[in-house]
Amino acid sequence: MTDRPHDFDTTTLTDRPPDLPDTDADRQGADMVDLDAARTERLPYGTMPPADDPQDGPPVFDTSYEVELDDPPDNDTATGPGPMPVDPPRPAVLESPEGDKRRPIIPPGLRRGSLASTVRTTAGKWAYVVGFHAARSPWYTLQALWWAVVGLFRLAGRQLRWWWVNEQYTLAQQAANDNDPAMWLKLHREGKATRRWRGIALFFQAIALAVAVIIAFQADLAAYWWALIGAALVPVLARYGRPAGRQIIPTAVVSRRYRLLNSDVVLRAYYAAGLGHPDRANQQVQFGSRMSRDAAGTGSEVLIDLPYGKTFDDAVKARGAIASGLDVTEQQVYLTRDQTSNRRHMLFVADRDPLAIPAGRTPLLDGKPRNIWQPAPFGLDERGRKVTLLLLWISILVGAQPRKGKTFAARSLALYAAMDPYVKLTVVDGKDSPDWRKFSLIAHRIIFGTMPNRDGDPVEMLLDALREIKAHIQQVNQFLSTLPVTECPDGKLTEELSRKYENLRVWVLVMEEFQVYYELDDQETNKEIASLLSFIMAVGPSAGVIILSSSQKPGGVGAGDVQRLFNRYRDNHAVRFALKCGNRNVSDAILGGDAYSEGFDASSLPIGKAYRGVGYLYGAADDTPTVRTYLADAADAEKILATARALRERAGTLTGYAAGQTMAREVRDVLADALTVYEGSETGLPWTFLASRLAERIPEHYADVTADTISAQLRALAVPSVDVKRDGKALKGAKKAAVAAAIKRRENTTG
């Protein structure tokens, strides 16, 4: 049998012509008869050979072959007990084997879309290196001159030692110790002769050097020639003169140190975790690939083949023990299931704890409108890859202990929905906190707490809001059924329809700490709220209603029908995001019972301020990433929501509660806004900096502002344009004191 990869199909064993032999004897006979035909080039299944092909018998079919994955027993004869080896046919078109991974021709960092970022990163790094060394260049020059002088004396001393044949002393001393006068005399004579001719060589070297110096001075060389000579000689002499192990020019960027994995370390870890045994038959851990760095350069990875009988689930349960064997933290070890075998998985070991590295500010701060039909940016996973989440057609449950980032995570998704002006939002905050107050700028309905307030009774308002959403769901389904097939071919809501018809808008229902509305004093009210939420959960996603729920108490709520409806509402969320939980039971209530068996326990997530916003995103895709969510604090949320309101006003889509609210700042105050962008001890800013900061921090008013625009507006308000020093350059700009003085003059005038 030919020893080559199985690059033919081994799965469709039933897809063959009915006249192929079925029994072993028939197959052997067919193989013996058609041996020559089997070695010829095969044609696609069911294709007749060309007319000029001298081939007798039935047409040759390209069919499936059953091939044993394990080596067959040795058979010397065709009549042995094992299967008869048969060469598979050579395919007509050479195809890459399934699963063959090829390195990209163009690296990912140089592709369109990534090239600009790569250039910026590389240019920024080298700009930093140049600036670092430029600031220290005088000190480098002084050190180089000093060590060049030292190097000159060292070089002269080395020449003198060479002339005096110092290396002979050891041999002469050895001859004296051995009482060998003949050898001593021989060494002495040879030493005198060597000193003689080496002395002559040094004499002529000194004469040549002196002549070169005299000629150089007599020629009256220009200053730049002396600079070139010094630039050539000083570095050489300084390198020779500096102490061993000391650098004159240190490195500007220190490379991170990380533990380099090797096969011995990995095997030690797996054997220590009880996933195999090195000395028992068929219990050895093997490797399915070479140890290598990952594409992002953040860690090492390798394919692991567990012993027969061990599964991926066993490795997941032993993840902590594997981390101990590797001498790293558990947050640095990640296992990914391989699709080819249940005993194979990819081991990734990060150089440093990736969960302690924050994901950064939310990209929504750029003020650009978003589209709810596109995935929302959520954060970064453990490998530094962007994690996005398509909000449509799903319901999302966020759960965690208090102050672990639960509200921030839920609010970041709601902010994304707010930046689409064609999305309605109903915000219900059961804990009556300030976290959701600013959503009043864009929310169709907004409800806080359970106690009556100046806006009314929150419980009655919630019932009205849920009834409204239920009626909307019913109306959407009825309306879609009346549309012609040409406009709605599948009977489903589409982006075009949601933009065209106002009654088909996507609707987001936010339920913060929803469990409080299952524990009201009035049981009938509890039942009605529970029934409405269960209906919206079951039918709403297909009608474009997105449910975003969060809770720190996802279990033990209510009794009887209320408890049953609560559990059904909680368990029917399609996507779960669990941050740090108090215990495994709470984690199971958020993620579901199957998550723990797959190795995901939110109570095992690390504790500490650095790990806020870290959690498991379960059910959004085939894998379950550990996500570090983007940060949007209260100030960021206010900026985003102010921009979202401006977008809705422009599109004419403000409804309900937000439509009755007035914006706190409908007219921009250029002077006051400009004063707010000066940071710390800054006394002045160039016009370009002023424009960029205003566009970044107040995008609803200054998204398109330029340096010339802001300069003209402030100069019109008596703020002079003066020279402002920035990064060693004098640029035109405005002084902070001048802006403050203009504000004071205006107040005195209006007062």
Side-chain angles (χ1 to χ4, degrees), residues 377-496:
F378 194 47
L380 303 178
D381 69 0
E382 64 275 5
R383 308 286 288 269
R385 298 168 297 196
K386 293 182 179 180
V387 178
T388 59
L389 183 60
L390 182 62
L391 301 181
L392 274 171
W393 322 124
I394 63 171
S395 49
I396 307 163
L397 174 62
V398 182
Q401 287 180 322
R403 291 174 297 281
K404 292 297 184 290
K406 167 177 55 65
T407 299
F408 279 50
R411 190 173 62 185
S412 68
L413 296 175
L415 288 172
Y416 180 83
M419 290 298 289
D420 185 341
Y422 296 96
V423 174
K424 283 186 176 182
L425 278 92
T426 295
V427 178
V428 182
D429 182 7
K431 65 180 181 181
D432 194 11
S433 67
D435 298 324
W436 298 90
R437 290 287 177 182
K438 289 301 179 180
F439 275 82
S440 60
L441 296 174
I442 53 94
H444 177 73
R445 284 180 181 264
I446 190 163
I447 301 161
F448 293 99
T450 58
M451 301 301 295
N453 51 49
R454 61 183 181 181
D455 294 326
D457 186 354
V459 176
E460 291 297 328
M461 295 165 62
L462 174 60
L463 287 171
D464 292 339
L466 296 180
R467 291 166 187 155
E468 181 184 20
I469 295 176
K470 179 179 179 180
H472 168 77
I473 295 172
Q474 295 170 335
Q475 181 269 331
V476 167
N477 291 329
Q478 293 175 1
F479 185 80
L480 290 176
S481 63
T482 63
L483 294 177
V485 178
T486 56
E487 190 174 11
C488 185
D490 298 326
K492 296 181 180 179
L493 184 65
T494 64
E495 181 179 355
E496 292 75 16

Side-chain angles (χ1 to χ4, degrees), residues 545-744:
V545 176
I546 303 167
I547 302 177
L548 179 56
S549 308
S550 66
S551 174
Q552 59 178 292
K553 185 184 178 184
V557 175
D561 289 341
V562 174
Q563 184 181 31
R564 176 179 59 82
L565 291 172
F566 174 85
N567 292 339
R568 187 171 74 177
Y569 176 80
R570 178 199 64 196
D571 296 339
N572 283 342
H573 285 83
V575 176
R576 323 291 186 86
F577 184 64
L579 299 98
K580 176 65 179 179
C581 296
N583 53 63
R584 175 187 161 186
N585 293 331
V586 178
S587 175
D588 289 345
I590 299 170
L591 295 176
D594 296 336
Y596 182 78
S597 62
E598 298 175 20
F600 303 110
D601 180 7
S603 64
S604 65
L605 288 170
I607 303 174
K609 185 177 181 180
Y611 299 102
R612 289 180 183 176
V614 173
Y616 293 123
L617 183 61
Y618 189 83
D622 293 338
D623 58 341
T624 301
T626 307
V627 181
R628 297 165 282 155
T629 56
Y630 291 123
L631 175 63
D633 58 19
D636 294 338
E638 183 176 358
K639 294 176 185 177
I640 294 170
L641 290 169
T643 305
R645 181 180 177 91
L647 293 173
R648 290 167 187 267
E649 289 176 341
R650 194 178 308 161
T653 55
L654 278 178
T655 61
Y657 186 89
Q661 297 297 302
T662 57
M663 191 69 172
R665 285 174 68 248
E666 293 184 353
V667 179
R668 65 182 182 180
D669 186 343
V670 179
L671 287 172
D673 294 341
L675 189 62
T676 62
V677 301
Y678 288 87
E679 297 177 350
S681 60
E682 290 179 338
T683 59
L685 280 177
W687 297 121
T688 53
F689 283 75
L690 264 173
S692 62
R693 289 189 183 179
L694 286 170
E696 177 184 355
R697 301 183 184 183
I698 316 177
E700 65 272 19
H701 287 318
Y702 301 97
D704 301 324
V705 73
T706 64
D708 293 338
T709 303
I710 195 64
S711 172
Q713 292 177 357
L714 288 178
R715 283 187 287 111
L717 296 172
V719 176
S721 178
V722 297
D723 288 336
V724 176
K725 284 191 175 182
R726 191 77 180 189
D727 299 330
K729 298 179 180 179
L731 303 173
K732 289 296 182 180
K735 293 289 188 179
K736 182 178 181 180
V739 178
I743 294 175
K744 188 173 183 180

Side-chain angles (χ1 to χ4, degrees), residues 301-304 334-338 344-348:
E301 59 184 6
V302 65
L303 271 176
I304 300 294
Y334 295 92
L335 310 175
T336 306
R337 186 187 300 273
D338 190 87
R344 170 176 285 193
H345 62 269
M346 176 67 76
L347 168 68
F348 171 71

Side-chain angles (χ1 to χ4, degrees), residues 217-293:
F217 276 103
Q218 291 293 331
D220 194 16
L221 296 178
Y224 70 87
W225 280 108
W226 289 110
L228 290 175
I229 294 172
L233 292 178
V234 169
V236 176
L237 294 174
R239 181 176 178 82
Y240 189 76
R242 66 179 175 83
R246 176 169 179 173
Q247 291 181 328
I248 297 176
I249 301 178
T251 56
V253 180
V254 180
S255 300
R256 291 185 291 110
R257 298 180 61 187
Y258 55 88
R259 181 175 283 102
L260 183 63
L261 295 184
N262 56 45
S263 57
D264 293 336
V265 173
V266 175
L267 291 176
R268 179 192 68 189
Y270 275 76
Y271 292 144
L275 296 173
H277 197 283
D279 301 325
R280 294 178 184 173
N282 298 323
Q283 289 299 305
Q284 288 81 22
V285 175
Q286 298 177 344
F287 299 96
S289 69
R290 295 178 59 186
M291 192 85 62
S292 62
R293 301 287 293 171

